[in-house]
Amino acid sequence: RRTHYWPEPAEPETDPEAAWHHRLVWREIDRPDPPAEPAPWLLFVPAEDPDGAMVRALRAALTEAGAPEPRPVPIGAREQAGELADRLRGLAGTEYAALVSLLAFGPRDTVAGLPGATAATATLVRALDEAGIAGPWWWLTEGAIAAGPEESPDAAAAQLWGLGLGVSLDHPDRWGGLLDLGTGEPAELGAAIAAISGDTGEDQLAVRGSRLCARRLVAGRPVDARLPWRTTGTALITGGTGALGGHVARWLAGAGAEHLLLLSRSGPDAPGADGLVAELAGLGVTAEVVSCDLTAPSGRDTVAELRAGHDIRTVVHTAGVVGGEAPLARRDLDTIAATVTAKVDGAELLDELFADTELDAFVLFSSGAATWGNAGQADYAAANAHLDALATRRAAAGRSALAVAWGAWAGGGMVDTETASALRERGVREMRPERAVAAMERLLAAGSGPTAVISDMEWDRFADVYTASRARKLLEDHERVRARARRPVAETTEPQDRSAAFRDRLASAASETERSRIAVDLVRRTAAAALGHDNHAAVGAGRSFLDLGFESVTAVDFRNRIATATGIRLDATVAYDHPTPRALAAHLLERTGPVAATGTVEQALAALESAMERTEGSRTGELAERLRGLADRLTEPATAESGEPVDEDLAEASDEEIFDLIDKEFGAA
């Protein structure tokens, strides 16, 4: 009898890894009231079928709801982003209640190796970004997700949900949301129009009949760790010589597998392949490394031959690539396709070839990117959303299936060192591989459903970062997030001396203008520190925090620094709610309230007069002339005689900046 490779998991109530289990559910919410005066919609429709059934139905439903006639804009699946951006620039100054994409309802063709809807939507996002078109951007799908029991989603359409989660983080100020229809009947379209036009605060919605449902991430059900899961015969592992595949192989060696097929593109030439085979032999199983590219035509023949020659009882698909990190608007279709097909093509092939085979397990390695999204990884999220839907589709057909949306693994595999560090900053902690696979084994043993999320989360950090750019209700019902929200929070997280110093400076200000200068100076210096700048010269008072390079992690760090310096409790979204240093400074002054003044401008002038009296008489004329010049510069209109713009931040310069300016103007004098 072979010894199980992994440590036996502890009882759920004493096992910290029990908190790693999460799942997605749908909650019915109230349908919002429509606006009194509906504004027009802009519809992006497939150029190949611009007047299709769904386009006609939605336009009719909008008319029925009393909305103005929507403007349709045909989008070709093979259209170039630059050419489309030129067409869209004429819309930049027009106000629309919603910019709604119906590209999911176009022909089921393939473009650049991608579903036509995925390719067209990615092109649209790039063009909207180039043209500077504001939102809210909404994407409609039909049957792309399973919002109820026994639903069988369209896995190719599910890619749009993954793309949308990434875009919502890349463009939080423009994003509207995702909305999935069940049948597209008039009642559903009416609910969809109400949801998009109304103020639900939701960005992941599904309509089923007359019910409006919102997506939620909740804590997973307790899984009985005492239930064993075992397999027999042969197990096939894609990406079998990689870090993830190696961990899975060791686990299966202890779970009853008698032979392992380790598939990889490099085959026996893969680094460490010989050592892994030898290690598995020491655990009591034979292993065979097979050269196989699941994205190539030869991959089908290879897998078919393996299925015919072995009693395959378990299939685990770990293969895939992340594809770097960049907003979807900065990726071309070839790059997106490389990321998507690396996961999707293999998963679909395995599903097809093992459709009629009774298996102990059919496991797809998905990612949290398809659950909550990762900024700069919309294409990776699309691939994994496809896998989640594929597993649900298999389960609806009565076949074995489990897609696990993983967080971060320690020891390489799903994320590299740099990515793991970035995830830790966002509150996603690395999991020890043996514990992660043990958590997955629990799900298999309990038969807990076709999809699950396993991730070790630092909820305080994750919730702050995730909601820094905008409100997101995905986490609203998670018990650990709710517990965090119920905890009392002090006004500051550090000693009060820094906030007291800020209030003292405000109290000593001679005027409201000076108070504003003090607050703006604090915000600019704090923003510069959060961005890693040596000084705050690059942080203009009127510049947007987004333009300065803020993203969610920076925004949370900035919020914490400002809260410490002022003693004011602030939301994680403060840098987005008040998007410039000047706007945030005004908010801080409003929150601070009136303070007692401890000095006057007359006292300051008296000190200046005293200093001037001590100046040598021969130099007073020169000094007076320079002071007049400085006064002119501080009070002149928006442009100088030369026509060059005057620094818009001069009026809000701090004392230190004014003295720096005086030093430059007067030198040693």
Side-chain angles (χ1 to χ4, degrees), residues 54-325:
M54 181 54 67
V55 177
R56 294 195 306 272
L58 182 59
R59 294 178 71 170
L62 284 166
T63 301
E64 178 69 20
E69 177 68 18
R71 176 176 179 176
V73 178
I75 308 294
R78 291 173 171 80
E79 191 165 3
Q80 297 299 309
E83 296 174 358
L84 178 56
D86 290 338
R87 285 206 292 129
L88 295 179
R89 284 191 176 92
L91 307 173
T94 306
E95 292 290 334
Y96 290 98
L99 282 68
V100 180
S101 170
L102 297 177
L103 298 180
F105 301 91
R108 295 303 183 97
D109 55 357
T110 300
V111 179
L114 294 166
T118 300
T121 302
T123 299
L124 175 61
V125 169
R126 188 170 180 178
L128 288 169
D129 183 61
E130 288 184 20
I133 306 297
W137 303 345
W138 280 90
W139 300 354
L140 262 60
T141 58
E142 186 175 25
I145 46 86
E150 300 181 1
E151 289 190 15
S152 180
D154 181 340
Q159 290 185 20
L160 295 180
W161 275 68
L163 281 184
L165 293 177
V167 171
S168 76
L169 293 164
D170 293 339
H171 302 283
D173 54 331
R174 300 179 183 179
W175 184 243
L178 295 154
L179 191 147
D180 189 74
L181 302 169
T183 61
E185 296 297 320
E188 289 194 345
L189 288 173
I193 291 170
I196 293 175
S197 301
D199 184 17
T200 66
E202 303 281 356
D203 67 349
Q204 297 181 53
L205 292 165
V207 181
R208 297 295 186 265
S210 60
R211 298 186 305 116
L212 181 63
C213 304
R215 201 182 194 203
R216 295 287 187 267
L217 181 69
V218 299
R221 299 186 185 94
V223 179
D224 190 343
R226 293 167 296 186
L227 292 174
W229 179 86
R230 292 293 182 266
T231 187
T232 59
T234 298
L236 182 150
I237 308 169
T238 70
T241 59
L244 291 179
H247 294 311
V248 171
R250 298 180 188 98
W251 163 60
L252 288 171
E258 299 161 9
H259 184 65
L260 300 175
L261 297 171
L262 309 179
L263 276 59
S264 75
R265 292 186 178 185
S266 302
D269 295 330
D274 291 341
L276 178 59
V277 171
E279 180 185 353
L280 293 170
L283 294 173
V285 298
T286 57
E288 179 182 350
V289 180
V290 180
S291 178
C292 180
D293 182 355
L294 293 173
T295 66
S298 61
R300 173 182 296 274
D301 295 336
T302 300
V303 176
E305 290 175 5
L306 293 173
R307 184 193 60 174
H310 297 81
D311 177 24
I312 297 176
R313 302 293 305 167
T314 298
V315 175
V316 183
H317 181 47
T318 75
V321 296
V322 175
E325 186 171 314

Side-chain angles (χ1 to χ4, degrees), residues 358-400:
E358 185 177 349
L359 298 172
D360 295 327
F362 182 95
V363 180
L364 303 173
F365 270 42
S366 179
S367 166
T371 299
W372 49 73
N374 279 347
Q377 293 183 353
D379 49 357
Y380 186 62
N384 288 289
H386 187 121
L387 264 60
D388 293 342
L390 190 159
T392 306
R393 185 184 74 197
R394 277 185 63 92
R399 303 184 182 115
S400 170

Side-chain angles (χ1 to χ4, degrees), residues 636-646:
E636 65 187 346
T639 57
E641 293 179 2
S642 64
E644 293 296 323
V646 174

